Amino acid sequence: SRFETCWPALMKDSHGVIIIFNPELPSHLKEIETWYSYFVQQQPLLDSQCLLVAHHKPGSAGDTENLSLAYPLNKLKLIHSNLEEDPEDVRMEFMKYFRSIITLMNENREREEMSIIS
């Protein structure tokens, strides 16, 4: 991709990665493996720091709801966003995700502080 030179700057000091994709495009399903490999595994971030969002366009076929992703993507938290039907559900999932990231950051900071003290 033409933006690959920017990736290291995007990744610097990041605590989480949200990958949004169109589940109806086979090319997207291939690309998210690349994104996951680069932005999560190579950092390295924990799988819990990554959120996959399958975004369904208005009027799109709903049969992608039972999307089955191959390993290692199937270990990640996957939410389906359809802003026409259920925006509140998506908002709740985002809030849960952000809370988990903040908790993790706090735990890491406490661990660092303890290691400095001891």
Side-chain angles (χ1 to χ4, degrees), residues 13-107:
D13 299 329
S14 64
H15 296 286
V17 174
I18 297 174
I19 299 173
I20 301 174
F21 65 100
N22 181 342
E24 288 162 51
L25 293 181
S27 63
H28 272 206
L29 298 179
K30 200 76 216 121
E31 277 170 35
I32 56 178
E33 288 179 25
T34 306
W35 292 100
Y36 170 74
S37 162
Y38 195 87
F39 284 94
V40 181
Q41 290 179 310
Q42 288 180 40
Q43 287 228 62
L45 291 178
L46 300 170
D47 285 340
S48 60
Q49 287 168 278
C50 183
L51 178 66
L52 290 181
V53 181
H55 184 64
H56 301 269
K57 288 190 178 148
S60 64
D63 60 351
T64 43
E65 282 286 330
N66 48 25
L67 183 67
S68 59
L69 296 170
Y71 181 87
L73 297 173
N74 60 5
K75 301 183 303 181
L76 304 174
K77 172 84 176 147
L78 168 69
I79 64 171
H80 290 270
S81 77
N82 184 329
L83 300 180
E84 270 188 328
E85 282 173 30
D86 214 345
E88 190 52 36
D89 203 36
V90 175
R91 204 175 72 85
M92 293 295 295
E93 289 291 352
F94 267 104
M95 293 307 290
K96 261 197 289 199
Y97 170 70
F98 287 126
R99 269 200 295 271
S100 72
I101 295 291
I102 290 165
T103 303
L104 198 71
M105 286 167 62
N106 289 339
E107 286 169 0

